[in-house]
């Protein structure tokens, strides 16, 4: 079941780190995602985009990780933006009202432009 | 004995030599009394382990032997140097009395000697050694008995020779049984050796005096020759040759045993330390295994660590020892000193970098031998602190790493290979015991948790309403299933003013105990503040404010709250990040999905500004389902979700006119549809379902073709006012 993975991808043109998520982000895989975000932050990256093109599922535990990181990143002058979610995953974000708190964009470029 | 003595005295007084038969009878009586005495001297009870009393045994025998020697030397003074036919009879009553006295004395000493030596010979007895000892005793008695018929001065017969030869063999066999020596400490060993040698000398002198000295009697084979060389032997003081045998053999055995013991003790002196250590090791191992095998005592980690630290010191292998353990359950992965022996725990922690050494030993999976401890950078102890050489033994069993046992001695190069190997084996045992202890405490903890969860589950069941209020024109039905011991779902119904009913369904993000805690908190908030307002938005905003401080940065609660006004026939619904309630009307399903943030995501302003209420003017036949995401996210065996489409279809199919209790019918058929799709036993999330059906009057005239609801901001003033909390 645990087919979740996170890949780091620094964007060449701007100081933005992209986290490519794939698989299912649930209570079991949330710590992995959290560790990745922590690593990025510890590496001095405060402008992060989570690219969910390959993300199949997100549970409330996964959403909780987004919540935990957005405020510290904003306090550090950066932000956590979300891009390219599949409709099913977007639905979960949307139900909870996440688009009211996060920049959730259809394309990664849009998200990068919103910093 | 007394009979034999009286007989001898009587015959002497009469001046008549007794016949051979009478002599034999008297000798036999004397032997029998000796055997009786041997039996009487048997120790009462089990008797102490001879190793603890070896010096005492030897010392008492030595004193008694010296006493006998003195008595023999005093014989001419006490009983006169009366002339006698040494080969036959005492010459007068005085010397006859002497013969009786010395016979009794010698026999008594011989028996006392045998009794004492028996305890030494049969220390740690084996079946074979016990048999040999008995054969020796029987042989001695047989040898003496064989002499009964021999008149004094006559050489013993052939049978006696055979018996005596056999006795000599058993005697020799017994003389090499020295099991009592091994466990003795060095100091005791030296004393025991000296005493054994002294006893051998004293016995030799006594035998010389008794059988060939001034008071000697020509009774024995070897004494006979001595006696023949000395014709001036004044008188006989032993009753008969048989008694002579019965005395000479034990005395000779005592002499032999004294010599072999002294030699064994002296030769084993260099290895005494090793023996003591082995014995100590055995004690240490025993102490440890006793501790680990008693679950009521030993399965406590701290006590076990203390016992592990104590063992090497008690065994005399180390001057000081300490145990460093890691404790993942308390988040300390680096081993820290938890118990020490021979120095304080704090001093042990100061003396070395326990974590670095333990991790090194654990990594190597074998003992770390620091022959010159002061030269190692991880040892902080200075010369003179008692850490001259240090052994670091990994406490690891299977893949489970506990930490390390440290053993220190004051001098460099102090641990030899044997000691290292012994401690290594010991550390293996200790690691196993620690593993058992860990397993035991985990099991206890699990049981305790299970009990507490069962209690929590009980409490939680009482947090959701047992009965739902009856509302004119409406029917209500609810169901909840938890996928875990305790669940994070919650539903409740409150009676508000004007006959209104508030219905709440909520889902705390996450599962288990923390979710259950927030659920209980929500229950409190609902009970306290639902009745304060008829606006679902107002309640949700209040719940958001109340929950926000206690919810962690990554937890939130989603909720949907509906207020039914039976008088007006309206249902007002507000949604805080929750799955949309579904309205079924005229064979169509309408998700009630007005905007609204989850509870706890925002401090308040954004929440209020974005929250929208939906007002549904009810019509007879309307059915509304409120549920948690466990319902739509339930998965079948292939991993497919139940989803909204199936939910809508199931609801449409289940709404039938004419049911007595339509809400209950819808609830049951929805749950049945869910169970037909996914195995309830494999559910990963809690599932809650509340169904409301309306069969009262229809509210006003509404446009049948348009949407069945209207929208309005829950907080119009907040929605209009500019806010600083605008998202970036």
């Amino acid at each position: 079941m645990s087919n979740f993975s996170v890949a780091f991808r620094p964007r060449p043109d701007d100081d933005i780190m992209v986290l490519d998520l794939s698989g299912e982000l649930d209570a079991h895989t949330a710590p992995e995602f959290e560790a990745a975000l922590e690593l990025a932050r510890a590496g001095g990256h405060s402008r992060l985009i989570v690219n969910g093109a390959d993300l199949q599922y997100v549970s409330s535990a996964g959403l909780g990780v987004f919540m935990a990181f957005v405020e510290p990143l904003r306090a550090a002058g950066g932000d956590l933006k979300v891009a390219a979610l599949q409709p099913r995953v977007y639905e979960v974000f949307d139900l909870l009202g996440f688009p009211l708190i996060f920049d959730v964009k259809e394309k990664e470029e849009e998200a990068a432009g919103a910093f | 004995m007394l009979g034999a003595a009286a007989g001898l005295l009587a015959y002497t007084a009469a001046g008549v030599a007794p016949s051979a038969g009478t002599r034999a009878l008297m000798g036999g009586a004397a032997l029998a009394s000796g055997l009786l005495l041997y039996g009487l001297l048997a120790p009462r009870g089990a008797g102490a382990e001879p190793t603890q009393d070896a010096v005492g045994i030897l010392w008492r025998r030595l004193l008694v032997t010296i006493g006998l020697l003195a008595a023999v030397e005093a014989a001419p003074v006490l009983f006169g140097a009366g002339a006698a036919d040494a080969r036959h009879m005492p010459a007068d009553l005085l010397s006859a009395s002497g013969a009786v006295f010395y016979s009794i004395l010698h026999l008594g000493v011989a028996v006392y000697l045998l009794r004492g030596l028996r305890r030494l010979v049969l220390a740690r007895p084996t079946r074979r050694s016990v048999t040999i000892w008995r054969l020796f005793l029987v042989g001695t008695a047989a040898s003496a008995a064989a002499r009964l018929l021999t008149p004094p001065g006559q050489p013993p017969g052939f049978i006696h020779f055979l018996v005596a030869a056999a006795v000599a063999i058993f005697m020799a066999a017994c003389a090499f049984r020295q099991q009592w020596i091994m466990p003795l400490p060095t100091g005791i060993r030296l004393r025991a050796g000296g005493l054994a040698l002294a006893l051998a000398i004293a016995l030799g002198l006594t035998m010389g005096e008794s059988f060939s000295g001034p008071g000697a009697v020509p009774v024995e084979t070897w004494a006979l020759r001595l006696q023949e060389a000395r014709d001036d032997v004044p008188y006989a003081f032993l009753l008969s040759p048989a008694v002579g045998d019965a005395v000479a053999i034990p005395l000779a055995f005592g002499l032999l045993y004294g010599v072999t013991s002294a030699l064994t003790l002296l030769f084993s002196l260099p290895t005494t330390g090793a023996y003591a250590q082995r014995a100590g090791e055995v004690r240490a191992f025993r102490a440890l295994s006793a501790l680990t095998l008693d679950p009521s005592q030993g399965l406590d980690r701290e006590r076990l660590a203390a016992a592990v630290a104590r063992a090497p010191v008690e065994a005399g292998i180390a001057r000081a020892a300490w145990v460093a353990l890691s404790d993942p359950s308390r988040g300390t992965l680096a081993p820290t000193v938890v118990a020490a022996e021979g120095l304080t725990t704090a001093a042990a922690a100061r003396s070395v970098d326990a974590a670095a050494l333990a991790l090194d030993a654990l990594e190597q999976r074998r003992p770390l031998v620091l022959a010159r401890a002061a030269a190692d950078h991880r040892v902080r102890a200075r010369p003179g602190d008692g850490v001259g050489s240090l052994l670091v033994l990994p406490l690891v069993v299977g893949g489970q790493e506990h930490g390390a046992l440290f053993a220190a001695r004051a001098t460099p190069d102090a641990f030899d290979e044997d000691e290292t190997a012994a401690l290594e084996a010991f550390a293996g045992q200790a690691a196993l015991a620690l593993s058992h202890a860990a397993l035991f405490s985990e099991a206890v903890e699990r049981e305790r948790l299970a009990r507490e969860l069962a209690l929590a589950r009980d409490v939680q069941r009482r947090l959701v309403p047992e009965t739902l209020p009856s509302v004119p024109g409406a029917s209500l039905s609810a169901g909840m299933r938890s996928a875990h011991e305790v669940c994070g779902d919650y539903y409740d119904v409150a009676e508000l003013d004007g006959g209104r009913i508030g219905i709440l369904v909520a889902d705390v993000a996450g599962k288990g105990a923390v979710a259950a805690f927030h659920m209980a908190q929500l229950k409190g908030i609902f009970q306290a503040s639902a009745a304060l307002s008829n606006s679902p938005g107002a309640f949700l905003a209040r719940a958001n404010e109340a929950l926000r401080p206690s919810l962690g940065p990554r937890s939130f609660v989603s909720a949907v709250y509906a207020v039914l006004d039976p008088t007006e026939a309206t249902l007002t619904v507000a949604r805080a990040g929750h799955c949309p309630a579904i309205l079924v009307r005229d064979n169509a399903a309408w998700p009630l999905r007005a905007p609204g943030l989850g509870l706890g995501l925002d401090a308040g302003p954004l929440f209020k500004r974005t929250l929208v209420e939906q007002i549904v003017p009810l019509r007879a036949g309307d059915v509304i389902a409120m549920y948690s995401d466990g319902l739509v996210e339930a998965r079948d065996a292939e991993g497919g979700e139940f989803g909204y489409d199936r939910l809508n279809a199931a609801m449409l199919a289940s709404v039938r006119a004419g049911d007595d209790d339509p809400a209950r019918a819808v609830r049951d058929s929805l749950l049945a549809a869910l169970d037909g799709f996914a195995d309830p036993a494999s559910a990963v999330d809690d599932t809650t379902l509340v169904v409301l059906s309306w069969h009262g009057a229809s509210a006003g005239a509404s446009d049948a073709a348009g949407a069945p609801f209207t929208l309005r901001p829950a907080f119009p003033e907040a929605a209009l006012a500019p806010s600083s909390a605008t998202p970036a």
Side-chain angles (χ1 to χ4, degrees):
Chain A
M1 279 289 275
S2 182
N3 58 351
F4 178 76
S5 74
V6 190
F8 291 103
R9 178 162 51 81
R11 287 168 58 87
D13 307 329
D14 39 33
D15 179 28
I16 296 173
M17 178 65 85
V18 179
L19 282 78
D20 287 308
L21 307 192
S22 66
E24 305 200 340
L25 178 55
D26 56 20
H28 297 287
T29 56
E32 200 178 327
F33 177 42
E34 186 165 350
L37 283 170
E38 190 56 58
L39 196 66
R41 205 172 58 146
H45 301 279
S46 59
R47 285 141 62 97
L48 305 177
I49 295 177
V50 169
N51 186 316
D54 294 320
L55 189 63
Q56 309 295 325
Y57 171 81
V58 66
S59 79
S60 56
L63 295 175
V65 178
F66 283 90
M67 286 306 303
F69 275 84
V70 67
E71 281 186 25
L73 286 170
R74 281 178 188 166
D79 197 5
L80 178 62
K81 297 187 191 297
V82 185
L85 295 177
Q86 294 184 13
R88 235 165 52 113
V89 175
Y90 179 82
E91 168 72 9
V92 178
F93 273 75
D94 190 39
L95 263 184
L96 196 60
F98 262 38
L100 298 170
I101 298 171
F102 290 88
D103 275 341
V104 182
K105 305 288 186 189
E106 273 187 44
K107 295 199 167 63
E108 188 186 307
E109 281 309 315
E110 281 179 74
F115 273 101
Chain B
M1 187 57 157
L2 288 176
L8 181 74
L9 292 177
Y11 277 106
T12 310
V16 180
S19 69
T22 313
R23 267 181 174 282
L25 206 61
M26 291 195 299
L31 281 186
S33 53
L35 285 175
L36 190 67
L37 188 61
Y38 183 82
L40 286 177
L41 281 182
R44 305 272 182 274
E49 187 67 4
T51 54
Q52 292 163 16
D53 195 31
V55 170
I57 291 172
L58 290 170
W59 180 240
R60 288 191 293 273
R61 267 70 195 171
L62 178 62
L63 285 184
V64 166
T65 307
I66 290 173
L68 178 64
L69 182 60
V72 170
E73 288 299 333
V77 179
L78 290 175
F79 296 99
D85 178 351
R87 286 161 198 262
H88 296 99
M89 286 291 294
D92 50 40
L93 267 181
L94 188 64
S95 50
S97 307
V100 169
F101 174 72
Y102 284 107
S103 289
I104 293 172
L105 198 59
H106 275 84
L107 214 49
V109 171
V111 167
Y112 184 63
L113 192 63
L114 281 182
R115 262 290 156 210
L117 293 179
R118 179 185 185 278
R119 291 184 61 197
L120 298 183
V121 171
L122 294 186
R124 301 190 187 180
T126 59
R127 218 152 137 186
R128 196 158 149 258
S129 64
V130 172
T131 308
I132 291 177
W133 175 257
R134 285 186 182 149
L135 285 172
F136 165 61
L137 287 186
V138 170
T140 305
S143 167
R147 290 297 299 270
L148 281 176
L149 297 173
T150 320
Q154 296 299 308
F158 182 66
I159 295 174
H160 178 265
F161 173 75
L162 283 184
V163 175
V167 168
I169 292 169
F170 297 139
M171 193 192 279
C174 288
F176 289 99
R177 290 270 315 163
Q178 306 279 3
Q179 294 293 319
W180 56 281
I181 290 175
M182 207 179 80
L184 290 186
T186 318
I188 308 275
R189 218 168 257 239
L190 269 174
R191 283 167 60 196
L195 283 171
L197 194 63
L199 180 64
I201 293 169
L203 284 171
L205 289 174
T206 308
M207 286 180 75
E209 289 303 297
S210 296
F211 296 113
S212 63
V217 63
V219 286
E220 301 311 323
T221 47
W222 68 88
L224 190 63
R225 283 197 297 281
L226 287 172
Q227 180 271 330
E228 277 164 351
R230 297 182 54 178
D231 284 334
D232 58 337
V233 173
Y235 58 84
F237 61 44
L238 288 180
L239 276 172
S240 76
V243 175
D245 246 25
V247 171
I249 294 174
L251 260 51
F253 176 64
L255 192 155
L256 182 62
Y257 200 76
V259 170
T260 54
S261 297
L263 289 177
T264 311
L265 283 160
L266 293 174
F267 280 119
S268 69
L269 271 183
T271 57
T272 296
Y275 274 131
Q277 186 177 307
R278 291 279 175 277
E281 273 165 35
V282 169
R283 273 200 298 278
F285 273 110
R286 246 185 231 160
L288 191 82
S289 54
L291 197 71
T292 51
L293 287 177
D294 184 354
S296 65
Q297 291 221 332
L299 288 171
D300 174 286
R301 188 169 169 275
E302 273 68 35
R303 288 174 58 158
L304 201 54
V308 170
R310 204 156 50 233
V313 178
E314 276 187 355
I317 304 178
R319 186 198 62 83
W322 57 96
V323 173
L325 296 179
S326 58
D327 193 351
S329 66
R330 285 172 211 165
T332 50
L333 280 174
T336 51
V337 179
V338 295
E341 183 76 12
L343 74 179
T344 64
T345 306
R350 269 198 309 276
S351 65
V352 295
D353 184 348
L357 287 167
L359 291 175
D360 191 0
L362 283 170
E363 195 176 322
Q364 296 191 26
R365 284 278 191 277
R366 58 188 172 79
L368 213 60
V369 185
L370 305 183
R372 286 168 198 285
D376 194 286
H377 66 279
R378 294 162 295 191
V379 176
R380 294 187 282 254
R382 298 275 65 85
D385 285 358
V387 187
S389 40
L390 184 68
L391 271 185
V392 186
L393 303 133
L395 294 170
V396 56
V397 59
Q400 206 171 358
E401 299 184 343
H402 296 286
L405 166 64
F406 295 74
R409 280 213 210 145
T411 50
D413 258 329
F415 294 100
D416 64 26
E417 279 178 23
D418 284 351
E419 287 165 334
T420 310
L423 280 175
E424 193 178 0
F426 173 74
Q429 293 266 344
L432 199 61
L434 284 166
S435 287
H436 288 161
L439 279 177
F440 183 73
S441 65
E442 270 170 33
V444 168
E445 181 67 8
R446 257 201 306 279
E447 201 176 310
R448 192 184 64 78
L449 269 177
R451 263 201 310 277
E452 289 193 358
L453 280 174
L455 276 175
R457 194 189 176 102
D458 257 19
V459 171
Q460 205 177 28
R461 291 216 179 288
R462 277 177 245 140
L463 292 185
V464 297
E466 219 169 288
T467 54
L468 299 172
S470 59
V471 188
S475 76
L476 267 174
S477 184
M480 185 158 111
R481 293 172 177 178
S482 55
H484 303 266
E485 283 82 355
V486 289
C487 93
D489 275 11
Y490 170 59
Y491 75 89
D492 210 342
V493 176
E495 294 181 52
L496 314 177
D497 59 303
R500 294 180 184 86
I501 297 288
I503 307 158
L504 178 74
V505 171
D507 179 2
V508 181
K511 296 160 187 82
V514 175
F517 172 77
H518 290 308
M519 176 221 160
Q521 193 185 6
L522 186 57
K523 164 95 180 175
I525 296 167
F526 185 68
Q527 298 278 313
S529 62
L532 296 179
S533 165
N534 295 327
S535 150
F539 166 73
L540 288 178
R542 218 169 277 125
N544 180 57
E545 275 162 31
L547 278 171
R548 165 100 176 163
S550 65
L551 285 165
R554 70 207 61 191
S555 33
F556 48 84
V557 176
S558 71
V560 58
Y561 184 47
V563 174
L564 169 68
D565 186 337
T567 324
E568 298 285 323
T570 55
L571 185 75
T572 311
V573 183
R575 191 184 67 87
H578 201 80
C579 307
I582 292 172
L583 164 69
V584 172
R585 172 182 293 178
D586 298 338
N587 217 20
W590 300 85
L592 304 179
R593 200 188 156 152
L597 268 175
L599 304 174
L601 296 180
D602 174 74
L606 181 64
F607 182 87
K608 284 184 172 177
R609 191 150 49 81
T610 53
L611 191 63
V612 172
E613 289 178 348
Q614 267 172 311
I615 302 127
V616 182
L618 292 169
R619 283 203 217 158
D622 281 356
V623 173
I624 293 104
M626 296 158 74
Y627 52 90
S628 67
D629 60 2
L631 184 69
V632 281
E633 291 185 7
R635 296 195 185 199
D636 64 9
E638 281 76 46
E641 273 189 4
F642 189 65
Y644 291 101
D645 292 345
R646 275 194 192 82
L647 176 61
N648 290 341
M651 278 203 62
L652 289 174
S654 66
V655 175
R656 296 184 300 271
D659 260 311
D660 287 346
D661 189 347
R664 183 139 142 223
V666 170
R667 181 198 69 179
D668 291 347
S669 73
L670 272 185
L671 289 179
L674 178 67
D675 290 347
F677 176 78
D679 178 10
S682 67
V684 295
D685 201 359
D686 312 315
T687 302
T688 302
L689 175 64
V690 179
V691 179
L692 166 73
S693 79
W694 178 254
H695 41 82
S698 300
S702 80
D703 181 6
F709 51 78
T710 54
L711 295 170
R712 69 162 184 235
F715 296 91
E717 69 288 353
L720 294 172
S723 167
S724 59
T726 312

